Amino acid sequence: IIVEGDAEQILLPTIAKLIGLSFEKYGVSIINVGSVGLFRYARIFQRQDGEDIGIRVACLTDLDIPPDAARAFTGDRPTKIDFNDEQITQLRSDKENRAAGGPVQVFVSPQWTLEYDLCKHHLGMALLFFQAARLAEVSKNRLDEISIEEIKRIKEETVYQYHQWKTRHLSTEQIATNIYEVLYKKRASKPETAQFFVKILEEKLSTYNPEVITHLFPDYIISAIKHVTRQL
């Protein structure tokens, strides 16, 4: 699996394990290219003569269209309202076609980024991710670890805030945007948030049925994992 950043590199192995498709078991490697230029790396696995090299490759990339609810902090950046359905379809197709071919398939996030789309896909996951983001925000630039008591307090605060949003009947889009704002503004780092999120997932979901867990995450992530773990 070729990914664009640290968060995906941290999260994907845990998600794969939780749905019963451990990367270790299937011999899957993650290549973190650290940028949006993953498409040139995908070409390494393709041959002009069409020969199949026997290695399934999944490229994960963001559609990168912010929701309209994010206008409050994205400035002049175009949001979903600035695109019609045809333009969005074309953008997705362009991203897929830049690298797809042979053993390589490209999996594009539904709307913005992995973190935003994860929160928007399932509000239960949104709450857990919100807790991870707040923990990362509090721990940023601290030399000492967060105490167990402080972790408990922060989680309780996020639950309260989350239910306030629900009481105000905020849309799923707005709730996901509120959660992602802390990462967009770099008040918390994506890698550290991912590390906290992995711990929370392992605590909450380790006893769940893998089939149930697959519905908790965006389809493109599950499809990418299944692509690279299928038997040739």
Side-chain angles (χ1 to χ4, degrees), residues 72-73 140 180-188:
F73 57 83
K140 187 178 182 180
Y180 186 67
E181 182 178 2
V182 66
L183 300 181
Y184 186 88
K185 291 184 175 180
K186 302 186 186 302
R187 297 202 304 266

Side-chain angles (χ1 to χ4, degrees), residues 112-201:
W112 194 4
T113 67
L114 178 146
E115 296 88 355
Y116 169 82
D117 289 343
L118 185 152
C119 292
K120 189 172 185 293
H121 177 77
H122 193 284
L123 284 178
M125 289 296 97
L127 174 56
L128 299 183
F129 192 85
F130 183 30
Q131 293 176 344
R134 279 291 295 133
L135 288 167
E137 181 178 16
V138 171
S139 67
K140 187 178 182 180
N141 299 323
R142 278 180 48 167
L143 298 178
D144 59 320
E145 292 187 4
I146 304 177
S147 67
I148 294 176
E149 293 77 14
E150 194 171 5
I151 290 174
K152 181 180 179 181
R153 177 183 59 78
I154 292 169
K155 287 183 176 180
E156 289 174 349
E157 289 175 354
T158 57
V159 170
Y160 176 79
Q161 178 63 71
Y162 174 83
H163 285 298
Q164 287 292 103
W165 292 334
K166 295 285 287 182
T167 300
R168 289 162 52 196
H169 303 292
L170 296 190
S171 66
T172 303
E173 176 183 293
Q174 185 64 67
I175 291 174
T177 299
N178 289 350
I179 294 169
Y180 186 67
E181 182 178 2
V182 66
L183 300 181
Y184 186 88
K185 291 184 175 180
K186 302 186 186 302
R187 297 202 304 266
S189 78
K190 288 189 174 184
E192 192 165 10
T193 299
Q195 289 173 344
F196 278 114
F197 189 51
V198 161
K199 291 180 181 178
I200 293 171
L201 289 178

